[in-house]
Amino acid sequence: MMRSLRDLTLLFCLLFLGMWSLPAWAQTQEAANEAALASNNTETTQAGTTTRRQVQAMRRELAVSVDGRLDEPAWLQAPVIDGFKQREPDEGAEPSERTVVRILYDDEAIFIGARMYDASPDSIIARLGRRDADLDADLFGFFIDPYLDRRTGFYFAINAAGTLMDGVLMNDDWDDDSWDGVWLGKAKIDDEGWTAEFRIPYSQLRFHKKDRYTWGINFRRDIARKNEQQYLVYTPRSESGFVSRFVDLVGIDQIAPPRQLEITPYVTTRASFTDHADGDPFNDGSTYTPDIGADFKIGLTSNLTVNGTVNPDFGQVEVDPAVVNLSDFETFFPEKRPFFIEGAQIFRFGRGGANNNWGFNWGNPNFFYSRRIGRAPQGSLPDNDYADSPDGTRILGAAKLTGKVAGNWNVGTVQALTGRAMADYDLDGVQSKAEVEPRAYYGILRAQREFQEGRRAVGFISTAAMRDFSDSRLRNEINSDGFGFGVDGWTFLDKDKTWVVTGWMGASHVRGTAERITALQRNSQHYFQRPDAGHVSVDSSATSLSGYAGRVMLNKQRGHFYTNAAIGFVTPGFDVNDLGFQWRNDVINGHLVLGYRWTEPKSFYRRMSIYTAAFRSMDFDKNTTWTGLFGNGFILFKNYYSFFGGWAYNPETTSNRRTRGGPLTKNLPGWQVMGGIETDSRKRWVFEVFGFSYRAGTGNDANVEVSATWKPADNVSLSVGPELSFNQAQAQWVGAYDDPTATATFGKRYVFGELDQTTFSANIRLNWTFTPLLSLQLFAQPLISAGDYTNFKELKQPKSFSFNVYGEDNGSTFDEETFIADPDGDGPAAPLELYNPDFNFKSLRGTAVLRWEFRQGSTLYLVWTQTRDDFEEIGDFRFGRSFENLLGARADNIFMLKFTYWLSR
């Protein structure tokens, strides 16, 4: 195993270094400049040379009131910017309605004024929603690249009803709406169409101090009823690159980036009314918790900003959905806390350069999974009659530094300290405290340098989690320290930026007691104890665990024909879960994708694409753990309905996880079909339907999802998305039982059952927006899942999918009342005391949030969260009875009021 690991690591090092030693002809600055010039963003001089288009800003000398009307004389003095082109529906065509933009600036802010002419102003679609809501409405957007790096920037947008949208731009093609700037935007509908007016303070942008400025900019206009998108400069549908095509904004001088200082103190009060056990000394059913804290943002320089939080509160976020996880994989929940969401794109690792990051039976390890900070306590409790353990670990303070240094290095770091989590418990009337999570430090450093206007890049990431235990009991349950380090980068192979190679390599190192590291080697992430594994084994004396991972990918991202190929690996010892998240270890994975897209509208469609892929995964013992073929197609019809369909085939492979640390088994061949349809999203009623079916010798799965969205008014939307799934597994894990007579399976009996599971769930969401600053959002998720286990059986022999069914094979017996199985009847094997794994789980979770931004950056939240659960040890799925029991279950209700006030200098 060590030799193959060395060979693979050497191969990846050579590939990664090879990215930086390509022929010079493909990497000249002249080629980079040519690639940045798009045909709809160039002008040809008399000498025949090509230059980037420039537009002019004018210093504001007269007063401007940002009310959306554009009736001040100052606007008439600014130069006109026009010449928009369609991207949708007719690429490159003249717009159906004219758009005119003007730009003003002063010492504090840049002003944008836009006139959207419309021959039918009564047909303008003006839908009101919460900030950043994705609405089908007439829209105007402004994009700006103040660093002029042709890769990153910001965007600001407004629709005709006044709903604001903003976010950041990165990787030339991508955007992220998690950033919320403090700026002013207004819109007004009139007899000529509608107008938009922005005031964007320089404090919300980042740029280097200069005497004269050149910034990259772009504009977008949407005419919703026509599904028309116009840009000042657009990206052709068969190509890539957005920020790199921006026109140059000139004329701004004698301004300076301000030294930013923002403080947002908050006050909360929280009332919880929860179910509790009779006689519980720690919970009488109600608690009241007032709290205070503050967030701050400080501009250290024009390029570096510190975001910090003291005693942060994350109470207003939406609750996680309920899940029934019968696998040995951890459930991934996305981050929802604003402090960690904002600027998260800086910490993305291994994904830059390419506009597609395909993966088949592969998930890139996340070196930084911010939900580890403030996580639920991991430690156990001593024996007790009653206990009160905190839901999460308290974050004492956190700071985030982001910006650019040393020229063109993008940097970001997060430093956080969490407090020691203590639980109260009662045993025989004696109350005590126990540590359930040690005090911990979490740190991450991310840096990346781009060259030649984004043609090449190199970067690194470093993470650390270090813990301070006061109770030595926890040292054997939780890692003492965890570290991760990785390098990544990309390089384009040709002057047109059609082909790109991107890659990354990383390492991890975890430390702890010998007992803890032994448990880590044996857990579901690693399974070093597998008895027939020739490449791993448990080292009970080890006090650390290390591993490596990496991936290299080739992507074609321009043209009608496209392709993507990748190879990656994660060694058995790799583990970044102290501050990251990873799906699996011990894997070598590769794929090849070939596809074609039709981007020009034809008689019955507007756009169409197909692709097929081949993929394979194997472990470091050279067992093929998954392989197959996959195909998919998509079509957008003339009426803006869309359809997609796909298929997959998986031949026989080997499972190294089914026995959860036991011997190998077989995966029998299987095939899948899937498809979905979506109606025109502009309509009052919008429907989506999706379904798939997977059939194999190991079991069958099927799923149907339906979503209906109703927009009864321009400020109200109701969506209901029910989902029904079926899982029929021929071998669902039950447990492993020691038995020295089970020589065929290495002294253990690996017990399974045939599972028939039915799950119903739904997402129900109501958005009611009263004004652009006042909104109500309701969300509810019911879940009912029932699983019935029958035909309990044990694995007959390794590397097979053969079983001895208790009560049928090998003289065995099985008592359905006591769940006692005797594997060989009168033979020497001892009876096994199994358990009843049948389940019927019901859950209802919901949140109501009233949000009022009573002044810029200052918000009042009123939040109500309710959860209720019910569990029965039966496997029948009876919707009516289950729903009745769910409504009758005791509910936990939490009410919260939060008041924030934004202060800026």
Side-chain angles (χ1 to χ4, degrees):
M1 178 254 182
M2 292 305 298
R3 181 177 179 180
S4 63
L5 176 57
R6 287 195 299 268
D7 293 344
L8 187 61
T9 304
L10 176 60
L11 171 63
F12 268 76
C13 288
L14 293 174
L15 288 171
F16 198 84
L17 291 174
M19 293 165 55
W20 293 86
S21 57
L22 297 169
W25 62 264
Q27 304 298 334
T28 64
Q29 186 61 48
E30 179 183 2
N33 290 336
E34 291 175 1
L37 298 176
S39 60
N40 61 328
N41 179 26
T42 59
E43 296 176 351
T44 304
T45 67
Q46 292 181 348
T49 60
T50 304
T51 62
R52 188 181 295 268
R53 178 182 173 184
Q54 292 185 342
V55 296
Q56 188 81 22
M58 175 172 286
R59 177 173 283 275
R60 179 182 67 83
E61 303 294 346
L62 302 174
V64 170
S65 175
V66 181
D67 54 12
R69 297 181 183 276
L70 303 183
D71 53 4
E72 296 90 353
W75 287 115
L76 298 177
Q77 299 175 6
V80 170
I81 303 171
D82 57 7
F84 284 60
K85 298 290 185 181
Q86 286 190 45
R87 187 178 189 268
E88 300 287 350
D90 300 318
E91 182 179 303
E94 292 295 323
S96 64
E97 308 285 354
R98 188 181 179 216
T99 304
V100 172
V101 184
R102 292 178 168 89
I103 301 177
L104 298 170
Y105 74 96
D106 59 20
D107 290 337
E108 298 178 350
I110 186 171
F111 297 78
I112 309 297
R115 156 63 69 181
M116 278 64 68
Y117 291 98
D118 199 310
S120 303
D122 57 343
S123 298
I124 292 172
I125 298 178
R127 290 195 173 120
L128 194 58
R130 289 185 63 173
R131 185 170 186 156
D132 292 325
D134 185 13
L135 305 170
D136 286 287
D138 284 50
L139 173 143
F140 173 77
F142 167 57
F143 307 86
I144 184 168
D145 170 18
Y147 276 135
L148 203 66
D149 59 12
R150 309 297 184 191
R151 299 280 302 173
T152 64
F154 302 85
Y155 71 86
F156 306 85
I158 192 170
N159 71 15
T163 298
L164 299 182
M165 291 145 275
D166 54 12
V168 296
L169 308 169
M170 67 278 193
N171 198 37
D172 200 4
D173 282 295
W174 299 347
D175 63 81
D176 185 341
D177 66 1
S178 62
W179 175 78
D180 285 333
V182 180
W183 57 285
L184 189 60
K186 297 289 183 180
K188 183 72 174 178
I189 299 176
D190 56 27
D191 292 339
E192 294 184 285
W194 67 287
T195 52
E197 194 171 17
F198 297 170
R199 180 186 183 273
I200 303 169
Y202 299 135
S203 62
Q204 303 305 298
L205 306 176
R206 291 180 178 176
F207 54 92
H208 300 293
K209 185 177 181 180
K210 297 180 179 179
D211 294 331
R212 294 179 180 273
Y213 295 90
T214 300
W215 294 339
I217 66 164
N218 201 357
F219 302 106
R220 169 180 167 177
R221 179 189 178 182
D222 288 5
I223 304 176
R225 69 183 185 276
K226 303 178 183 181
N227 260 336
E228 182 176 326
Q229 288 182 7
Q230 313 171 9
Y231 289 87
L232 188 63
V233 51
Y234 68 90
T235 302
R237 290 192 290 262
S238 63
E239 299 186 15
S240 64
F242 180 62
V243 180
S244 57
R245 300 172 184 268
F246 286 6
V247 304
D248 286 347
L249 175 66
V250 298
I252 298 178
D253 56 22
Q254 297 181 4
I255 67 168
R259 186 66 62 87
Q260 189 177 15
L261 175 59
E262 300 177 10
I263 301 175
T264 308
Y266 79 83
V267 178
T268 67
T269 182
R270 178 187 177 104
S272 302
F273 303 94
T274 58
D275 191 19
H276 63 286
D278 293 336
D280 188 341
F282 307 114
N283 184 3
D284 63 1
S286 62
T287 57
Y288 303 92
T289 311
D291 211 347
I292 61 173
D295 298 331
F296 62 86
K297 183 180 292 185
I298 302 173
L300 300 181
T301 69
S302 62
N303 303 325
L304 287 174
T305 301
V306 173
N307 293 70
T309 182
V310 178
N311 193 28
D313 173 79
F314 301 125
Q316 83 275 13
V317 300
E318 188 176 284
V319 295
D320 290 320
V323 295
V324 176
N325 185 353
L326 301 180
S327 74
D328 59 346
F329 293 100
E330 178 185 3
T331 300
F332 179 88
F333 291 110
E335 180 62 85
K336 299 180 181 180
R337 299 171 294 181
F339 174 80
F340 292 108
I341 289 176
E342 185 175 323
Q345 76 282 349
I346 296 174
F347 301 98
R348 292 180 180 175
F349 174 78
R351 295 179 177 271
N355 60 6
N356 281 319
N357 286 273
W358 298 78
F360 296 86
N361 196 228
W362 170 271
N364 266 358
N366 286 351
F367 279 76
F368 179 39
Y369 179 45
S370 56
R371 289 192 62 144
R372 300 297 188 204
I373 303 175
R375 67 189 302 171
Q378 306 172 77
S380 65
L381 274 168
D383 292 339
N384 64 84
D385 299 318
Y386 303 96
D388 181 26
S389 185
D391 295 330
T393 307
R394 188 73 172 182
I395 301 176
L396 302 178
K400 178 168 52 182
L401 174 70
T402 58
K404 284 183 180 282
V405 297
N408 206 29
W409 279 96
N410 296 292
V411 298
T413 181
V414 172
Q415 308 291 318
L417 183 66
T418 60
R420 203 178 306 279
M422 306 296 294
D424 297 305
Y425 68 97
D426 181 289
L427 180 62
D428 297 329
V430 178
Q431 294 185 11
S432 306
K433 289 183 178 292
E435 182 182 22
V436 289
E437 183 75 23
R439 183 168 49 226
Y441 159 79
Y442 298 93
I444 175 172
L445 174 62
R446 171 72 165 132
Q448 189 174 74
R449 173 72 186 271
E450 297 181 5
F451 304 88
Q452 297 176 311
E453 295 189 348
R455 278 193 158 285
R456 286 179 168 185
V458 64
F460 71 87
I461 191 170
S462 177
T463 64
M466 295 182 284
R467 299 179 175 92
D468 173 31
F469 298 91
S470 67
D471 188 340
S472 59
R473 173 180 57 89
L474 295 186
R475 293 184 179 274
N476 295 328
E477 300 179 6
I478 303 173
N479 299 338
S480 299
D481 308 294
F483 305 94
F485 181 81
V487 294
D488 67 339
W490 71 79
T491 184
F492 284 90
L493 304 181
D494 61 316
K495 66 179 182 179
D496 295 323
K497 289 188 175 181
T498 299
W499 294 89
V500 62
V501 176
T502 182
W504 63 270
M505 289 190 64
S508 69
H509 183 69
V510 177
R511 299 189 302 206
T513 65
E515 183 175 338
R516 170 56 192 162
I517 298 301
T518 298
L520 185 65
Q521 295 174 77
R522 300 176 66 89
N523 74 7
S524 62
Q525 192 75 59
H526 301 282
Y527 288 146
F528 278 17
Q529 72 272 29
R530 283 173 282 168
D532 53 357
H535 62 302
V536 291
S537 61
V538 175
D539 181 357
S540 59
S541 64
T543 56
S544 65
L545 183 67
S546 299
Y548 307 91
R551 197 173 194 229
V552 173
M553 182 176 66
L554 172 69
N555 189 60
K556 181 179 183 291
Q557 46 199 55
R558 297 182 66 180
H560 294 287
F561 169 76
Y562 59 94
T563 186
N564 180 281
I567 183 170
F569 73 97
V570 182
T571 66
F574 186 79
D575 194 317
V576 292
N577 280 316
D578 284 280
L579 191 48
F581 187 99
Q582 64 187 89
W583 282 262
R584 62 186 308 168
N585 296 66
D586 193 9
V587 61
I588 303 169
N589 170 273
H591 73 252
L592 173 65
V593 179
L594 300 174
Y596 194 87
R597 53 195 167 206
W598 294 263
T599 60
E600 297 299 323
K602 298 297 182 182
S603 59
F604 68 96
Y605 69 86
R606 295 185 179 276
R607 194 177 312 126
M608 188 166 62
S609 64
I610 59 171
Y611 73 86
T612 187
F615 56 91
R616 171 167 290 194
S617 295
M618 59 191 301
D619 64 18
F620 277 77
D621 213 11
K622 300 180 181 178
N623 298 298
T624 298
T625 56
W626 201 246
T627 188
L629 300 173
F630 184 87
N632 200 309
F634 169 85
I635 183 169
L636 178 66
F637 296 101
K638 281 286 192 177
N639 63 355
Y640 291 99
Y641 281 48
S642 62
F643 170 81
F644 84 93
W647 59 273
Y649 173 72
N650 306 110
E652 182 178 292
T653 53
T654 300
S655 171
N656 57 12
R657 305 189 64 89
R658 181 174 287 115
T659 55
R660 305 196 179 188
L664 300 173
T665 62
K666 280 186 179 181
N667 292 317
L668 301 182
W671 56 270
Q672 175 179 314
V673 292
M674 57 185 173
I677 189 169
E678 181 179 356
T679 64
D680 187 348
S681 62
R682 298 172 297 172
K683 304 301 184 181
R684 290 288 182 185
W685 283 93
V686 181
F687 297 95
E688 296 179 55
V689 180
F690 167 79
F692 80 86
S693 175
Y694 185 82
R695 304 185 68 83
T698 54
N700 303 321
D701 291 287
N703 173 274
V704 177
E705 299 177 41
V706 179
S707 175
T709 300
W710 177 41
K711 294 171 272 192
D714 287 338
N715 66 326
V716 179
S717 68
L718 173 66
S719 63
V720 180
E723 178 180 352
L724 186 62
S725 62
F726 306 93
N727 173 26
Q728 296 175 332
Q730 294 299 307
Q732 179 62 45
W733 174 256
V734 172
Y737 299 83
D738 291 325
D739 187 344
T741 68
T743 55
T745 50
F746 304 96
K748 283 183 181 289
R749 298 191 183 274
Y750 297 93
V751 180
F752 300 84
E754 295 180 13
L755 171 65
D756 186 357
Q757 180 185 4
T758 303
T759 301
F760 169 83
S761 65
N763 291 312
I764 304 169
R765 190 181 299 274
L766 171 68
N767 291 309
W768 191 350
T769 308
F770 307 103
T771 74
L773 304 177
L774 178 63
S775 62
L776 174 67
Q777 188 175 69
L778 306 177
F779 172 76
Q781 189 219 36
L783 171 71
I784 301 172
S785 184
D788 183 29
Y789 287 76
T790 58
N791 293 335
F792 292 88
K793 51 193 173 183
E794 66 180 48
L795 182 66
K796 188 174 183 178
Q797 61 185 21
K799 298 183 179 180
S800 75
F801 197 74
S802 300
F803 302 89
N804 291 322
V805 180
Y806 294 142
E808 297 181 10
D809 300 329
N810 201 32
S812 62
T813 63
F814 182 74
D815 190 322
E816 295 184 358
E817 296 294 327
T818 62
F819 288 87
I820 293 179
D822 192 326
D824 58 358
D826 296 332
L832 306 180
E833 295 185 7
L834 307 183
Y835 62 97
N836 181 10
D838 291 350
F839 62 88
N840 189 302
F841 175 73
K842 287 84 69 177
S843 169
L844 177 62
R845 302 189 177 193
T847 305
V849 180
L850 180 69
R851 181 182 184 276
W852 176 34
E853 188 175 347
F854 56 90
R855 67 185 296 270
Q856 274 193 296
S858 303
T859 309
L860 176 68
Y861 295 93
L862 293 174
V863 183
W864 170 39
T865 298
Q866 183 183 101
T867 61
R868 57 178 73 206
D869 302 291
D870 183 68
F871 179 84
E872 296 177 276
E873 205 173 74
I874 60 175
D876 296 338
F877 181 86
R878 299 176 182 175
F879 182 84
R881 175 189 172 189
S882 295
F883 196 74
E884 182 180 346
N885 290 346
L886 179 59
L887 294 180
R890 294 286 299 272
D892 293 343
N893 290 283
I894 299 174
F895 300 90
M896 190 194 76
L897 183 148
K898 180 175 181 179
F899 175 85
T900 69
Y901 197 86
W902 180 71
L903 302 170
S904 177
R905 180 183 69 82

